[in-house]
Amino acid sequence: MKKLLLTQALFLLSTVTYAVPNVWDTGFEKGHDVYLINDTKNNKLVMSCASGTGDTGDHSVYITTSQRTDYETAYKNTISKRPLTFLINQQVVAVPPATTKTSNSSSEWKKFRNKIAGAKQIEAYWNDKKVVTFNPRNPNATLDLKDCLSKFEE
C-alpha cells in the first residue's frame, strides 16, 4: 500500500513540477496508461487508456484547469452528456463518451485516438466555448497509442 501511494505521489509530483508546456508526457497509474499535455497555465489534457484493467476499466479523456483540478470536477463527457469537443488540426473531432463498449463509441474512440496522436494543435471546447489550446511541440514523439484500443478493436 505504501508503495502504491508513493508511486502515485511521485507521478503527480513529476507531472506538476517538471512538466514542460506543450510536450506530451506519459505515465502509468492504476492499470491505465496516461498521456498528458499541459500549457503554460498548467491546464492539462489527460488521456487515460485502460490497458491493464481488463474488462473493468475503460478509456477517458478530460481536461483540468486551475478551477477544475481533479477528475471529479474536470471537463469530461459522460455516457449521456457530451459537452466536450476538440478541434484538432482545424478539424472537429468528437470526444468519445465515457465508454467504448458499444460499436459506435468504439469507432469514435478509434477516430479520436488517431487524430490526437499526430496533433499539432488541439483546441478544447466546453458547451461550444473554447476552454484551452495546446500546441504539441513533439507530435508523434511520445504518443504511442497502440495499447489504447477500444473494446471492439481488442
Side-chain angles (χ1 to χ4, degrees):
M1 183 64 163
K2 287 182 182 179
K3 283 184 180 182
L4 179 62
L5 291 173
L6 179 61
T7 303
Q8 289 175 343
L10 288 174
F11 174 75
L12 290 174
L13 181 63
S14 67
T15 58
V16 173
T17 307
Y18 302 111
V20 176
N22 290 304
V23 174
W24 283 105
D25 196 6
T26 61
F28 189 80
E29 183 177 358
K30 296 181 183 177
H32 287 80
D33 287 311
V34 179
Y35 303 88
L36 59 96
I37 188 168
N38 66 303
D39 66 5
T40 56
K41 296 177 183 173
N42 210 28
N43 297 311
K44 289 185 183 123
L45 183 152
V46 181
M47 194 167 147
S48 178
C49 301
S51 55
T53 62
D55 289 336
T56 60
D58 212 338
H59 310 314
S60 65
V61 177
Y62 59 94
I63 294 176
T64 60
T65 64
S66 59
Q67 293 83 28
R68 295 176 176 230
T69 58
D70 59 20
Y71 180 76
E72 295 304 316
T73 60
Y75 294 104
K76 63 184 177 294
N77 289 341
T78 63
I79 293 172
S80 60
K81 295 182 181 179
R82 299 177 59 188
L84 182 62
T85 308
F86 287 109
L87 187 64
I88 300 175
N89 297 334
Q90 300 301 312
Q91 293 181 338
V92 176
V93 179
V95 177
T99 183
T100 63
K101 294 179 182 176
T102 68
S103 179
N104 286 342
S105 61
S106 184
S107 177
E108 285 184 42
W109 179 260
K110 181 178 178 180
K111 287 177 189 173
F112 176 79
R113 183 193 70 220
N114 291 340
K115 290 284 186 184
I116 205 163
K120 294 178 182 169
Q121 184 179 55
I122 304 164
E123 295 178 15
Y125 290 82
W126 182 256
N127 290 322
D128 299 324
K129 293 180 181 150
K130 190 190 301 189
V131 176
V132 65
T133 299
F134 301 96
N135 295 294
R137 293 189 276 170
N138 61 337
N140 294 326
T142 58
L143 205 56
D144 181 6
L145 300 174
K146 67 179 178 296
D147 291 330
C148 204
L149 301 175
S150 60
K151 297 298 179 187
F152 278 83
E153 292 179 277
E154 296 176 342

